[in-house]
Amino acid sequence: INAEYGESSTPETPAAPQAPQEAFNPQSLAEFQKHCLDFKLCVISFFSEENTGSELHKKYIEILDQVTKKQYKSFAFVWIDGVHHMDLMQFLHLESGFPSVAVLHPSKKVYAPYVGSYEVEKINGFLDKLLRGAKPTLPLSGELEPHLAAFNTPPSPPPSDSEEKSEL
């Protein structure tokens, strides 16, 4: 991953689609394809409102949106529920909890996990280094598609208080 991404296209090469200026939360495999896999570089953030609470979850999305506004010319940005997509997190070797971030280059079948605090400046620095080739990438350890199966099943809703009491 280096500076070749984000440069203008030559007449022989059609221009790549430009990513939106805000992160997207895909709910289906088709949406994940369109908003992540169809781009050269995709930043995937894994959150868990269930584990972090609503207020912190909103803060993480705001941070991601700030990063997106600065970096959208070079990257596509999506965020997904890490609990529901745990298989994909593990496939990308993200085991440090939530939030977790990885940059995926689907056509080259490489990725780069982000290790650090979830702060605008730190994530922007990581992405800048990735574009310059100053951060290493890792080869995917197999095919990505089997690890996207969770997009085919909706997340389970949390149990309601009445359901919990009826099981007692």
Side-chain angles (χ1 to χ4, degrees):
I1 301 179
N2 57 36
E4 73 184 70
Y5 309 104
E7 298 209 324
S8 61
S9 61
T10 62
E12 301 85 37
T13 308
Q18 188 168 25
Q21 293 186 37
E22 62 181 34
F24 187 77
N25 178 223
Q27 298 298 311
S28 68
L29 185 55
E31 288 181 347
F32 187 71
Q33 178 76 42
K34 178 181 177 183
H35 292 275
C36 182
L37 300 179
D38 286 350
F39 291 88
K40 285 186 181 181
L41 297 170
C42 179
V43 177
I44 307 170
S45 288
F46 295 86
F47 302 139
S48 173
E49 186 172 5
E50 179 182 323
N51 290 349
T52 60
S54 179
E55 190 173 312
L56 199 49
H57 180 73
K58 287 177 186 172
K59 180 182 175 189
Y60 291 149
I61 293 170
E62 288 171 11
I63 289 169
L64 183 61
D65 282 340
Q66 289 177 46
V67 173
T68 303
K69 282 177 179 45
K70 181 177 188 289
Q71 302 279 356
Y72 75 95
K73 290 182 181 176
S74 301
F75 299 91
F77 289 84
V78 297
W79 63 272
I80 57 179
D81 179 336
V83 172
H84 187 66
H85 296 277
M86 188 62 69
D87 186 44
L88 180 57
M89 276 187 71
Q90 291 171 345
F91 180 67
L92 297 173
H93 300 101
L94 300 174
E95 300 166 5
S96 61
F98 303 106
S100 289
V101 178
V103 178
L104 180 64
H105 190 310
S107 63
K108 287 192 175 183
K109 298 186 178 189
V110 297
Y111 73 102
Y114 168 71
V115 179
S117 57
Y118 202 81
E119 298 172 20
V120 173
E121 299 79 20
K122 304 244 181 196
I123 298 168
N124 278 329
F126 168 75
L127 297 176
D128 290 340
K129 288 177 184 172
L130 206 53
L131 285 175
R132 291 193 316 266
K135 283 282 180 189
T137 59
L138 303 167
L140 293 175
S141 59
E143 290 300 315
L144 178 65
E145 288 73 23
H147 304 282
L148 303 177
F151 281 109
N152 296 324
T153 58
S156 301
S160 67
D161 290 341
S162 62
E163 287 176 17
E164 288 177 14
K165 290 176 183 170
S166 67
E167 293 176 8
L168 296 177

